[in-house]
Each structure stands twice: as C-alpha cells, then as structure tokens.
C-alpha cells in the first residue's frame, strides 16, 4: 500500500530532530536518505535491534516517557553486554494516531537516556499502525576486546549485577491489580542499563550476556555458546527485600531465575579476578554477586539450601533445561 | 510486559541465521547480544531504518516472499540514493503467530535480494504482535563522495530513472479489485533498487533522493535542502504504456507526480554532464530521463504541453506546494 499518511507523519520527525548528545562523528543526521557516520580506525561497530510491541512487551496505556526510556535502555543493555561504548541510535516508531503530548513525552524519555550515555539519534521512521517501537543501537569497541557469549571456561566464577526478579515481581503485581512500590515499578519501567559495568569488564570477563529473559534462559545462552555447564547456588542469588519476602512466602524461585526484563549483566571471570571484581562494585554503584561456577560438563546444576528441592513455576526454566 | 513468548520466537531465528552473502567484515553475526562489524578506514557508514506495517504499507494477505524482497529493497533504495555500497542489514519482524511456511518464503525473498547486492543479515529480533517489518540497512561510502540532498545548484538538469507511477497504478487497480498486469504488479511488490545507478552517480550527481513518496514530494525535499527551485516538464516524465494510457484517458497526472513506492532515483547534475549520463543508461539497464531544470528562485514550476492546465487529484502535491 502507498504511504498515504506520510506527510502528516513526516511532521512527527520534529520531535526527534536533535535528540541526544551532539557528536562530531555524525557527518549527517536525521533528514536525508541515510545518516552518515564516521567510525575510527581499529574499532569495530556493535549493533543490536529490538522491538517492543504494545500488548506484548508493554501495556497500551503505559507512560510514554518511560517507554521512550525503556526502548533505548534495552539496546544499551545489549551494548553493555559486549563492553561496547554507546554511539548512535535509530528509531522506528509505529503509532495508531498522532498525539503530540505522547510524542513529546516519549522523546523526553528517549533523549534524556541518550544524553546520559553520549548517544545521538541519527535516523528514524514514523509510520501509522498498531503501537510498537523498534530501536537499533550502535556502539564502538576494539574488536578483540568485545566480550562475547562464547568465552566461559571451566573454573570461571559466575557473577550477576544488581538484584534479580524485581521487574518480574512488579509486572505480576500490576497484572493482579495490586499496589506496586514506586521503586519496584521503576525497575520494570525504567531499567538502568549497566553500560559502565560492561565497559569496565572488558579484559576481565570471559563471557557476558544481559538478563532480558531471566537468568536461567540467558545463562543457558552462555553455556551453549561456550560449550560448558554451570552450578548455580540459589542461596547466593542477589534479591531485593521485596523479592526475598515473596520467595519466603510462597517458596517459588521463578522470579530471580525465570522472569525477564531485569537488564542486569551476567558474566563469567577467572576465579583469580574475584577480588578485583568485588572491589569494582562500589565505584560502579551496583552490587556484583558471585552466584556459581562454570564447569566442563554441560548442563546446569541448581544447588539449594540444605539440598531442599527448589520449586520453579515458570516454563522459562523448563525450556532452558530442554535445550542445554 | 514480560517476553512470555520469547522462547518460541527465538526458534524463528533459524530462518534468518545465514541470510545473504557471506562477508569477511562480519566479525560476529546473528546470535550474540550484538553483531560486530569491521569498517574500513577512510569510509563512512550510511544507515537507514524503515518500517512496513500491514494495513498501512502492504496488504495483510500479501505474498511473504515479495514482502521479504520489498522490506529490504526500500532500504537498498535509500543506500542507492546516497551512492553507498550495501553491506549489512538487521531485521525486526513482528508476527501475530508463528507460520513456518510464511517465514521460509519471507526469508527467501529477503535473502535472494541480499545476496544480489552482496549484503549480509547480521542481527534481528522477532516478536509477537500485529504484522510489521522493520529493516535497517548499512552501507559504505567514502564520506566526501556521498550524494546528499542539499547539493542542487541553479542550472543543474533534473533527472529521473525508470518510469514513474507504475506502483501507484498497480495499487489503485488492486484496491478497485481490477485485474493487474503481472509486470505492473511486480513494480509495486518487487521494486528493483537502483543500487548500481546510485554508485555510478557518485561524483556526477549534485543531489539525489529516492522516490518513495512521489516525485513532487521527494523533489521538494531536494529543493528545500538545497535552497533552490525547479521547473518540471510534464511531457518529459518517463511513463510506462500503462500509466501513459491511464493519463490519456482521465487527464490526471497524479500517478507520475504524487504516487509513491516507485523507488526510482531523482537526481540533479550540471548540464555539461548530460551526455555522460545519457550514455550510462544502457549499461545500467534502466532509462535515465531529463525532466526539468533547477533554478535559483524557490518553488516548483510545472510546465505542461501547450500551457494546458494540469490536473492533479492527489494531496501529495498540495502538501509539497504548501511547504516549499
């Protein structure tokens, strides 16, 4: 079909014309057939594209500023997981109708986060249709220094940043129509990508991934790519008081293991680096917790307190177990 | 909302794992947090992102192979308009449900076109929701050699490639439920991006744009960016027999001027280059037609046969006239 509503939607470009930090390496930004970007010699470009769809990844009536933030945070988290420095973003926004207040709020959330990480929006497309947001992020990293998923080695210690399961708990409470503590809700709606941590771990972490689908599933990707297994200690998992209290009441460990959207980093590092890693946490403003160990035999062993069986209600873990 | 259906949709990645040409500059492709791409020194990267939405840009029941082709062709056309050489693509696909036959056909259409232009699919995201396709293309061009929209100069000759209005005519016939000649339908559903032409025009064209929204609107972008005006000769517009016959019957010139989706190139070049440009057409396999001239005074003058007034039913042109 022809782009019948293109002219109206071109005007929407106004909201995104100067979003984010200014960068000298943007030779040509929004407003031509392509953006033109200058890349330094000896540096590789890391790219990741992600779509958030209304009704699948967020509620139709969600806060537009939060959605602007989160749609970029998801990509920044991928750059963090490679140890790449954020550089540019592109945005493809599909909207059922033009709503200037919504657009201004979305642009504010997106632009504030972009500026925080020195990132520039360099291109985009705005179309009419069911609400969805696709963002591609572009980062820079020395090719040999990028942290991939396939470098985990037997004996490596397994680490996670922050706390696990908060976004999943917030989502569950919202779905049940129950009150949600604002700080917990922020963990779902305005995740903080661990960009500084990802960069600091270049040369230290042997493998890294960001936790978008839950620890069990995402750790599974590291194990599969690296051809190794792991042993995970339930009692070591870093939990917020809210998640710890929920587990204490229902005994279900799915939140920290199988709920998504935490955007923390999971990484492996040789055990002799443990002291260094532990000492990094304070400067980075996020907890770093050793939660297990990599071993040669494929598979994931779950170690609970006193050998008690662990209950997991979510299918995420089962899916992982079937595939490793 | 959490990505509850992520595991099923991860499997879809199988269809896109090795799509397109293999390239030595892809350090890491589909399957990590980011793709890692190597960019040569002294070359800039051109990027463009476009979304096609079911019900807005294509029919819900459209041919999946054609959609795979077109979703990449739209981006290739943007690279062509900068004179950039295609390199990599990323794909964000949103689907209401998993349909393996549909996915295989889509991947075939996308992959065949990618291989034609030596392009590799390096990353993607597959999500559940209303059908839409977002593709980002990445091309390479020496920074100073990229052809932008802002270089048109008074006295330049205005050129277009191919024929205009075919996609719009095909769309109109389909909407009216009337039969469509297969060759005409191909112009709508499988546009051929003018990649070779775009590259050949580096150093020759002073300004260039691809025709996605119709000649009047897209030429308007060149005129606005370059701070010039133009005179367009209706009788020079290159028309297929089908479009020429339609205009002869209803006297409406909207098809070649205001209908979109042709993905031909519109460019400006100094008049002393006209012989060279005319001689290029045969080797490139597409017509190149001089249709007007750039002048210093802003605005677009439409010259018809014998001064007869030209009828334009579409709003696309009015929009342009209001904005130039």
């Amino acid at each position: 079909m022809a782009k019948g509503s293109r002219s109206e939607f071109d005007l929407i470009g106004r909201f995104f014309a100067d979003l984010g930090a200014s960068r000298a390496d943007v030779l040509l930004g929004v407003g031509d057939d392509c953006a033109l970007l200058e890349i330094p010699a000896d540096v590789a470009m890391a790219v990741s594209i992600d779509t958030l769809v209304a009704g699948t990844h967020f509620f139709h009536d969600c806060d537009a500023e939060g959605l602007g933030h989160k749609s970029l945070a998801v990509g920044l988290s991928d750059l963090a997981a490679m140890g790449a420095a954020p550089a540019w973003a592109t945005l493809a926004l599909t909207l059922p109708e033009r709503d200037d207040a919504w657009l201004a709020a979305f642009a504010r959330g997106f632009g504030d986060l972009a500026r925080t990480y020195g990132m520039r929006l360099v291109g985009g497309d705005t179309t009419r249709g069911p609400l969805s947001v696709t963002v591609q992020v572009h980062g820079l990293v020395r090719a040999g220094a990028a942290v991939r998923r396939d470098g985990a080695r037997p004996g490596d210690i397994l680490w996670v940043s922050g706390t696990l399961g908060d976004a999943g708990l917030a989502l569950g409470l919202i779905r049940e129509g129950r009150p949600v503590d604002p700080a917990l809700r922020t963990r779902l709606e305005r995740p903080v990508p661990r960009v500084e941590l990802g960069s600091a771990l270049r040369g230290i972490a042997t493998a890294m991934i960001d936790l978008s689908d839950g620890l069990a599933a995402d750790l599974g990707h590291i194990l599969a790519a690296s051809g190794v297994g792991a042993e995970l200690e339930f009692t070591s998992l870093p939990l917020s008081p809210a998640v710890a209290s929920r587990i204490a009441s229902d005994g279900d460990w799915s939140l920290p293991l199988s709920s998504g959207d935490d955007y923390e980093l999971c990484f492996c590092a040789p055990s002799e680096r443990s002291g260094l890693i532990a000492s990094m946490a304070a400067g980075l403003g996020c907890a770093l917790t050793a939660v297990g160990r990599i071993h040669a035999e494929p598979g994931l062993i779950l170690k609970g307190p006193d050998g008690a069986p662990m209950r997991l209600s979510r299918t995420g873990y089962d899916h992982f177990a079937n595939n490793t």
Side-chain angles (χ1 to χ4, degrees), chain A:
Chain A
M1 257 171 246
K3 297 169 179 172
S5 56
R6 171 65 54 155
S7 55
E8 175 197 354
F9 276 66
D10 273 351
L11 297 176
I12 292 175
R14 285 192 296 113
F15 290 95
F16 303 112
D18 290 301
L19 226 51
S22 67
R23 294 180 61 99
D25 52 14
V26 179
L27 304 176
L28 193 58
V30 172
D32 210 300
D33 293 287
C34 294
L36 277 179
L37 307 168
E38 199 168 42
I39 292 160
D42 305 324
V43 166
M45 182 178 65
V47 299
S48 177
I49 190 167
D50 280 289
T51 298
L52 301 181
V53 182
T56 302
H57 304 96
F58 60 89
F59 296 104
H60 284 272
D61 62 351
C62 84
D63 165 57
E65 187 172 332
L67 182 61
H69 173 103
K70 185 164 181 173
S71 63
L72 180 57
V74 167
L76 282 165
S77 182
D78 283 318
L79 292 179
M82 299 297 288
W88 316 291
T90 53
L91 166 68
L93 184 59
T94 300
L95 297 168
E97 60 191 355
R98 183 172 167 181
D99 175 341
D100 285 5
W102 192 96
L103 285 161
F106 181 93
R108 198 163 54 240
F110 191 102
D112 285 352
L113 188 62
R115 266 189 304 280
T116 299
Y117 293 104
M119 198 169 214
R120 179 74 168 189
L121 182 72
V122 296
D125 190 22
T126 317
T127 48
R128 186 190 292 275
L131 180 60
S132 78
V133 189
T134 299
V135 172
Q136 175 157 327
V137 291
H138 311 69
L140 300 173
V141 61
R142 203 162 43 75
V147 187
R148 303 159 55 142
R149 294 179 180 176
D150 60 2
R153 294 292 167 258
D156 281 357
I157 303 297
L158 185 62
W159 297 80
V160 296
S161 65
T163 56
L164 304 183
D166 298 324
L169 177 57
L171 178 64
L173 292 170
I174 293 169
R175 280 182 165 157
E176 293 162 13
R178 292 165 62 187
V180 187
D181 176 76
L184 192 67
R185 189 170 192 131
T186 295
R187 291 277 292 159
L188 174 67
E189 296 181 348
R190 307 243 182 161
V192 176
R194 301 299 187 188
V195 174
E196 298 87 351
L197 173 61
S199 291
L201 288 169
R202 284 196 307 262
I204 297 173
T206 54
M208 183 153 56
I209 193 168
D210 74 315
L211 297 178
S212 54
D213 298 331
L215 178 59
D218 291 321
L219 172 57
H221 295 308
I222 285 185
L223 302 185
S226 301
V228 296
E231 171 181 292
L232 196 62
E233 294 174 41
F234 274 43
T235 47
S236 300
L237 293 177
L239 307 176
S240 65
V243 170
S245 154
R246 171 61 73 102
I247 294 173
S249 77
D250 68 7
D252 184 347
W253 285 78
S254 298
L255 281 177
L257 280 167
S258 308
S259 70
D261 268 2
D262 278 329
Y263 301 104
E264 296 295 346
L265 294 180
C266 168
F267 60 96
C268 307
S271 58
E272 58 268 29
R273 300 296 198 122
S274 292
L276 172 63
I277 292 168
S279 72
M280 289 165 61
L284 292 163
C286 70
L288 297 176
T289 308
V291 296
R293 184 181 288 268
I294 299 296
H295 47 61
E297 192 182 351
L300 181 64
I301 299 171
L302 300 171
K303 288 180 63 180
D306 310 321
M310 296 293 103
R311 191 162 76 80
L312 294 170
S313 64
R314 301 278 183 96
T315 56
Y317 174 68
D318 293 328
H319 164 68
F320 160 69
N322 291 337
N323 285 278
T324 302

